[in-house]
Amino acid sequence: MKLLPMLGLTHGNRSAVTCALKCNNACAHPVPNQSTEPSFREIASAQLSRRRLLAAAGTLAAGVAAGSGALPLEPAAAKPKGGAKSTDTVGSGALEFEPIDPVPFETDAVTVPAGYTWNPILRWGDPLFHNSPDFDPSHPNAEAQELQFGYNNDYTDIIVTDRAGREGLLVCNHEYTNRDIMFEPTASDAEELEVIRTMIAAHGFSIVELERKAKRRNWKYVRGAELNRRITGNTEFVFDGPAAGVALLQTAADPEGMFPHGTLGNCSGGTTPWGTILSGEENFNGYFKADPNAVGSARYGLSDADTSYAFEKVDPRFDATTADYANEPHRFGWVVEIDPSDPTSTPKKHTALGRFKHEAANVRVDDEGNVAVYMGDDERFDYLYKFVAKRKYVEGARKHNLKLLSEGDLYVAKFTGEQRPDNANLGTGEWIALTENGESVVPGMSTEEVLVFTRLAADKLGATPMDRPEDVEPNPITGKVYVACTNNTDRGVKAGKPGPDAANPRKANKDGHIVELTEHKNQADATTFSWDLFLVCGDPDDAGTYFGGYDGPVAPISCPDNVAFDSKGNLWISTDGAPSALKLADGLFRVPLTGDERGKVAQFLAVPNQAETCGPVIHDADGSVFVAVQHPGEDGSWDDQQSYFPDYVAAGSRPSRGEWRGPRPAIVQVTKKRN
Ligand code: FEO
Ligand code: CA
Ligand code: CA
């Protein structure tokens, strides 16, 4: 079975395998945004079965403070204090470490600071339920995979659920699968179809209870625990919001247009102040065959070619060239919301937040209770979005808060500013409304069309094409919003596409940058903002890099992807692409945002060969950092594995019965060594 037709043909910052599987060779296809809109520079200046208590600070997403109520998983003081004065946002947080040196790419190891150790909590295939079969990749089986930890973990959170800090919940998604290193070549069509079904089952989410002996110790997962849950490419969801049930979401199998099956391509996400998990359905197009001439196909990268995943061989809904399933691709590309406290709850897809290649979704509640959700559309020259909920957050009112993302307005960002030689740019911006009072304000498009074809709507409004906006996350201490633009090697290179501008300052931007955005009056529902460049990444010796104005030595960093904050408000950045851009392993970095050390990037860890650093989760006050190690050894094959993470049972050694000799994506906890 040939899965990788583009092998050797990529020109972005990823391996050929990642390009084929993760984003359907997006770089090899025309840039989907064919909008002729000039860049702003050219325009402007050119229910719970068990009662538990939430634990103390830092347990529910970054910066969440002490809770006092019983579960549901909603902390009493979850609201980030927009505009609050920070007295100590400088320095190392509660986690002291000696930065590691950059690690050469192809190093198949987890590298952590001196005095620290790492430990895998959950690996692909680990049995989650009492009736789960043990991991056995020599016998691919979809039913078994539905009961085991999925593949390629990306967004991750660790939620401490009791005051003693001994019970917790791990939530993470499973973005995509890599058939060639997961399973050996099959001898029959029937066996291959079972492999395909197994891959569908390896997508989605895992929710798994954790336990440990005491605070600051390693977590272990609890097999068969009450809240353990798998959500897969088959699980029933329900559409929510203004476009739920509309004609564009209806199929032969679901004439009501209400109940899509499965979630795919989940990349990063966010944990809400009301205790639910959001995640973005990102490169969904790669799972479908579709009419290339249908509305939106070109803009969303859909084609009628056979897919690498071949899901269409086991489920007709993945072939959208048929009349019955022409709308099936419209049922993906949304932000999903999952309530981890209730394993019987039906997860939602929120139409009010628009449909695009959602990287993530992070919530900010300001001092007045206004709720904003920040979202990036991860594609070259695509846009930054914000959703503002119609209703305000009400602390402790869980039923009310669970409906906050059902109604509100969607905005897209337009940046204005002057490019400066040192790349320390400063400008203003505007959130342009796509809807007002929940209804379309885009000329010629209905509300339904704006929400299902959000990219087409934003094209009409003069939004600023960005360099692949990935995680977009508000600082829980200051309210400032950090936009990780991972890279865009086509900027200023591709004919007819925008050149550098102040907010995307580099031609052929291989290393990416981070924009720091401040809402007007620090209000989540503001329609204008100011912004600055915080980092222009790369080798610090390269001209054009910028590290928040910091003059001293900093670590090289490339391709920022997911971000998180520690208890002091320092930014932590995980990367995806440094092997191609800098010949260095991807890793996790910490950088202060204020004070004399603003911009002083230090590296905390590096991930194994060909892996991307996901998560991250920073529990500095508890002495731990967690990362999701995604796609280790992705360029390998069954007979030529290129990573042995995390168990490092290498080829040539004597495996015990049933032992696995290849990589297993896993969630890793990094803690200080105990003396
Ligand atoms: Fe799945 Fe945009 O990274
Ligand atoms: Ca990502
Ligand atoms: Ca994040």
Side-chain angles (χ1 to χ4, degrees):
M1 185 179 176
K2 184 67 176 163
L3 281 179
L4 305 171
M6 299 308 297
L7 205 62
L9 297 181
T10 68
H11 66 275
N13 272 11
R14 283 182 164 154
S15 92
V17 175
T18 301
C19 290
L21 298 177
K22 187 164 188 153
C23 62
N24 195 35
N25 293 308
C27 296
H29 297 141
V31 170
N33 188 354
Q34 294 297 322
S35 169
T36 53
E37 194 66 48
S39 72
F40 71 75
R41 182 161 146 262
E42 293 161 317
I43 301 171
S45 56
Q47 104 237 0
L48 263 193
S49 49
R50 197 160 93 186
R51 292 280 167 186
R52 289 187 288 197
L53 297 175
L54 279 174
T59 60
L60 179 53
V64 169
S68 57
L71 277 177
L73 296 168
E74 183 162 13
K79 188 173 65 172
K81 297 298 179 192
K85 296 282 183 297
S86 167
T87 54
D88 183 13
T89 58
V90 186
S92 59
L95 204 66
E96 300 290 343
F97 67 92
E98 187 69 30
I100 66 167
D101 291 330
V103 173
F105 79 122
E106 297 182 332
T107 304
D108 191 27
V110 179
T111 307
V112 297
Y116 282 77
T117 185
W118 66 274
N119 182 59
I121 301 175
L122 272 160
R123 310 158 170 81
W124 165 51
D126 278 341
L128 301 185
F129 307 92
H130 290 310
N131 64 338
S132 303
D134 286 339
F135 178 59
D136 180 10
S138 60
H139 295 92
N141 181 280
E143 211 172 306
Q145 178 64 77
E146 295 238 352
L147 302 171
Q148 297 166 336
F149 195 65
Y151 202 76
N152 270 347
N153 28 229
D154 196 307
Y155 179 69
T156 302
D157 204 359
I158 307 284
I159 303 169
V160 181
T161 53
D162 75 327
R163 287 202 177 281
R166 294 196 297 254
E167 295 183 0
L169 206 54
L170 180 152
V171 294
C172 83
N173 58 24
H174 303 291
E175 184 175 8
Y176 70 101
T177 51
N178 186 341
R179 187 250 175 273
D180 283 358
I181 62 172
M182 294 168 74
F183 305 112
E184 64 186 318
T186 46
S188 71
D189 286 348
E191 286 178 6
E192 191 59 30
L193 295 180
E194 187 62 19
V195 165
I196 294 170
R197 290 187 198 97
T198 306
M199 291 199 297
I200 295 175
H203 282 71
F205 270 79
S206 290
I207 296 155
V208 190
E209 291 195 42
L210 305 175
E211 65 181 11
R212 61 180 175 179
K213 289 178 180 160
K215 286 180 179 175
R216 307 184 79 85
R217 301 285 184 91
N218 281 331
W219 290 103
K220 291 188 183 344
Y221 86 92
V222 185
R223 182 174 177 171
E226 213 169 333
L227 298 182
N228 288 7
R229 185 179 189 185
R230 271 306 318 281
I231 288 169
T232 74
N234 293 318
T235 304
E236 185 171 281
F237 280 65
V238 62
F239 278 122
D240 175 83
V246 301
L248 286 169
L249 299 181
Q250 295 168 0
T251 67
D254 179 21
E256 291 179 72
M258 285 298 296
F259 303 106
H261 278 197
T263 187
L264 298 167
N266 279 271
C267 199
S268 196
T271 303
T272 67
W274 49 95
T276 59
I277 309 304
L278 304 179
S279 178
E281 294 182 326
E282 191 189 30
N283 293 301
F284 66 90
N285 57 311
Y287 297 92
F288 295 97
K289 289 178 71 167
D291 176 357
N293 299 312
V295 173
S297 281
R299 191 64 180 85
Y300 285 86
L302 289 153
S303 82
D304 55 3
D306 288 344
T307 69
S308 295
Y309 292 97
F311 290 177
E312 65 271 20
K313 289 184 178 175
V314 300
D315 190 335
R317 69 189 170 105
F318 291 103
D319 185 355
T321 62
T322 64
D324 279 355
Y325 294 104
N327 288 333
E328 188 70 15
H330 301 160
R331 294 149 67 88
F332 293 81
W334 302 100
V335 168
V336 302
E337 184 175 21
I338 296 172
D339 182 354
S341 70
D342 179 3
T344 67
S345 59
T346 304
K348 295 174 186 170
K349 297 198 181 192
H350 284 297
T351 64
L353 278 61
R355 174 173 167 267
F356 42 90
K357 291 189 182 179
H358 280 283
E359 167 76 18
N362 285 288
V363 172
R364 176 175 174 239
V365 179
D366 69 17
D367 281 345
E368 296 176 5
N370 299 304
V371 177
V373 187
Y374 294 93
M375 305 174 287
D377 183 351
D378 180 6
E379 184 105 44
R380 293 163 293 162
F381 304 111
D382 255 298
Y383 307 133
L384 172 67
Y385 293 86
K386 178 171 80 164
F387 169 82
V388 177
K390 178 180 179 181
R391 296 188 173 80
K392 292 188 177 189
Y393 174 81
V394 180
E395 203 165 290
R398 184 171 170 82
K399 201 171 167 189
H400 165 88
N401 294 332
L402 282 169
K403 293 180 181 167
L404 285 172
L405 306 188
S406 303
E407 286 185 272
D409 286 320
L410 190 58
Y411 300 84
V412 66
K414 178 177 182 175
F415 289 77
T416 307
E418 292 286 348
Q419 191 168 3
R420 299 208 310 242
D422 64 357
N423 277 335
N425 302 332
L426 185 66
T428 56
E430 179 187 353
W431 292 109
I432 308 171
L434 292 110
T435 64
E436 283 179 13
N437 298 318
E439 302 202 345
S440 168
V441 290
V442 180
M445 294 183 79
S446 66
T447 304
E448 167 183 349
E449 289 167 338
V450 165
L451 298 179
V452 176
F453 300 120
T454 306
R455 283 182 166 183
L456 298 175
D459 288 346
K460 291 172 176 263
L461 300 179
T464 300
M466 305 294 287
D467 285 350
R468 295 188 52 204
E470 300 243 28
D471 210 352
V472 183
E473 190 155 333
N475 183 330
I477 292 178
T478 66
K480 289 179 186 287
V481 178
Y482 293 82
V483 185
C485 295
T486 195
N487 62 61
N488 181 357
T489 52
D490 287 350
R491 166 101 32 203
V493 175
K494 273 268 162 82
K497 303 313 299 176
D501 58 35
N504 300 275
R506 281 195 304 207
K507 184 178 174 183
N509 181 10
K510 74 178 177 64
D511 292 307
H513 59 280
I514 295 182
V515 178
E516 184 181 62
L517 189 153
T518 307
E519 297 280 24
H520 181 62
K521 296 186 176 176
N522 210 11
Q523 289 185 308
D525 62 344
T527 55
T528 59
F529 57 85
S530 60
W531 64 271
D532 203 349
L533 285 179
F534 174 57
L535 295 182
V536 181
C537 301
D539 183 329
D541 292 334
D542 287 352
T545 54
Y546 175 74
F547 290 83
Y550 187 74
D551 275 342
V554 296
I557 181 171
S558 186
C559 305
D561 193 331
N562 299 350
V563 299
F565 299 88
D566 65 24
S567 65
K568 304 289 187 187
N570 296 305
L571 184 68
W572 292 66
I573 305 162
S574 61
T575 68
D576 174 22
S580 299
L582 295 177
K583 303 294 181 204
L584 295 173
D586 276 309
L588 178 64
F589 302 80
R590 185 198 64 200
V591 54
L593 296 170
T594 55
D596 292 344
E597 295 193 331
R598 172 178 162 89
K600 184 182 179 184
V601 175
Q603 187 166 2
F604 182 76
L605 63 71
V607 291
N609 192 26
Q610 299 160 9
E612 154 187 5
T613 324
C614 293
V617 185
I618 315 300
H619 287 183
D620 52 317
D622 191 45
S624 284
V625 167
F626 307 83
V627 290
V629 176
Q630 195 187 145
H631 58 72
E634 64 180 338
D635 293 338
S637 65
W638 179 263
D639 294 324
D640 180 24
Q641 298 288 0
Q642 297 190 18
S643 172
Y644 298 94
F645 165 87
D647 299 311
Y648 293 100
V649 180
S653 68
R654 178 197 290 262
S656 59
R657 193 157 176 261
E659 201 163 47
W660 169 235
R661 289 172 172 275
R664 295 173 73 179
I667 309 295
V668 162
Q669 178 176 12
V670 183
T671 51
K672 277 189 176 171
K673 282 180 184 165
R674 297 176 64 80
N675 295 320

